[in-house]
Amino acid sequence: MPLPRLGTRSVRARTSPVAVAVLAGVLVLALGGALLAVLAGGGRHGRAAGDGPRRITVEVSPSRCGRGWTRPEPGVQTFDLHNTSNGAAEVYLEDPGTKEVFGEVEGIGPGTTRQLTVRLGTGTYAFACVPDDADAVTGPRVHVAGGRRGPGARPVTGHDLIPPALAYQRWVAGGLDDVVRLTTRLRSAIDDGDLAAARAAWLPAHLRYEQLGAAYDAFGDADARINGTDAGLPEGVRDKDFAGFHRIEYGLWHGEPAARLRAPAAALVKAAAGLRDGWAQTRMDPAQLGLRAHEILENTVQFELTGRTDYGSGSNLATARANLDGTRAVLSRLRPLLTARYAGLTGLDRDLGRARQLLDGFRHGARWTPLGDLTRAQRERTDAALGQLVERLASVATLCDPRRTA
């Protein structure tokens, strides 16, 4: 599952402007569509023109967090969150008793105003202001009478994510054992000069590695040696730094003799074994686990479904299927946290099953339909199925984004 890379994989900055906007706004999906979090500029106060929601200015600062909300009403409300402090802050609208979050906005800079639009029903609410470099502050409690209260999501803390992260790391360790065993088989076939056997051994080894999708950031430079592409390399596929699975793939499906592939195959086994042997000392960041669950298929759509990583084997759909398995492996560890927080979990499971069935239909024994052989209808169904999953998994990333509670 290729992450964006120039010669190697590189995880996109988690705090890029686009990522912040998506993660802060996608809570509407995570809570089953019952609330709407919108990020925009400031605006008028009071009732908006036409039938728009009521606008209320709320102060964001350590000393006056949540001040300004004096006439609570049920229904859709738009809050202009104005940061009067000298530092950036996050803001949550929560139930102060249960700590369930009904809306959030990240990265409100000093002196700026951002919007939060939510649908409120009977219950008690309060704004929590979380400055970057100070303790969290909870504002005045506000009671809303009337209307149906939408679902909230209890925050996930870094501590909550430690057990699933450790469980996932143990699973990856077993996967790396398999990768070493399968790449050794691939190398043996190349050493013997049996290129037909090497082509048959290449795909199982590559797919096993692709299933370990949420760990790539922790793999560091080893990933470029194992699964890098020629992107950004001056000489392209002829560059001396083009290595790993895709280097061997290019040679096997472009008529290179075994003698030219022995060194790349030996280097692949060495890189895989080194990664496996050092894995016990590696520590994945638990806070990244939910985001990685989203990125696996996001990058599948970007790289596999566009054919950008095909070096001759025509196995992009097989890789997409392996990435789907990798996503399920992450979600199975996160499930105890998601069950009580994600109203769309049943729908996500359903869509994962449909995508798996769809991709399995392109497998014919040991052979997979090349991406270029899909009909237009097949291509559209595949793109739609994976695209829908990417949208749903953005909610998982949001819900598993650790939030400060103090």
Side-chain angles (χ1 to χ4, degrees), residues 11-28:
V11 178
R12 292 174 297 120
R14 182 168 173 270
T15 55
S16 68
V18 172
V20 169
V22 169
L23 292 182
V26 78
L27 193 57
V28 61

Side-chain angles (χ1 to χ4, degrees), residues 21-38 101-104 116-119 151 342-344 391 394-395 398-399 403:
V22 169
L23 292 182
V26 78
L27 193 57
V28 61
L29 298 176
L31 301 183
L35 64 85
L36 176 66
V38 178
V101 176
F102 295 88
E104 65 175 312
L116 174 67
T117 300
V118 296
R119 183 180 298 277
Y342 183 25
E391 290 185 13
S395 301
T398 299
L399 288 168
R403 291 172 173 81

Side-chain angles (χ1 to χ4, degrees), residues 92-116:
Y92 310 143
L93 180 62
E94 64 181 23
D95 182 321
T98 66
K99 297 301 181 182
E100 288 181 299
V101 176
F102 295 88
E104 65 175 312
V105 177
E106 297 181 351
I108 307 177
T112 63
T113 300
R114 304 282 291 280
Q115 290 180 5
L116 174 67

Side-chain angles (χ1 to χ4, degrees), residues 309-383:
T309 54
D310 181 15
Y311 287 87
S313 67
S315 60
N316 287 117
L317 293 173
T319 301
R321 179 64 172 80
N323 295 163
L324 196 64
D325 286 340
T327 300
R328 293 172 70 93
V330 182
L331 292 174
S332 69
R333 276 75 189 177
L334 292 173
R335 184 168 293 273
L337 298 178
L338 294 173
T339 299
R341 291 175 171 85
Y342 183 25
L345 186 57
T346 299
L348 174 58
D349 289 337
R350 182 185 62 247
D351 286 352
L352 283 166
R354 288 175 176 172
R356 178 174 58 182
Q357 184 177 16
L358 175 64
L359 292 174
D360 283 345
F362 300 128
R363 182 175 184 174
H364 313 283
R367 180 181 173 276
W368 287 77
T369 302
L371 195 65
D373 289 352
L374 295 182
T375 66
R376 179 173 181 176
Q378 289 174 324
R379 184 59 180 266
E380 289 175 349
R381 285 197 298 270
T382 303
D383 289 347

Side-chain angles (χ1 to χ4, degrees), residues 163-190:
L166 292 175
Y168 184 76
Q169 280 194 238
R170 290 191 293 269
W171 180 80
V172 169
L176 290 174
D177 285 339
D178 292 339
V179 171
V180 172
R181 174 176 55 82
L182 293 169
T183 53
T184 299
R185 181 182 301 170
L186 170 63
R187 181 189 62 185
S188 296
I190 292 174

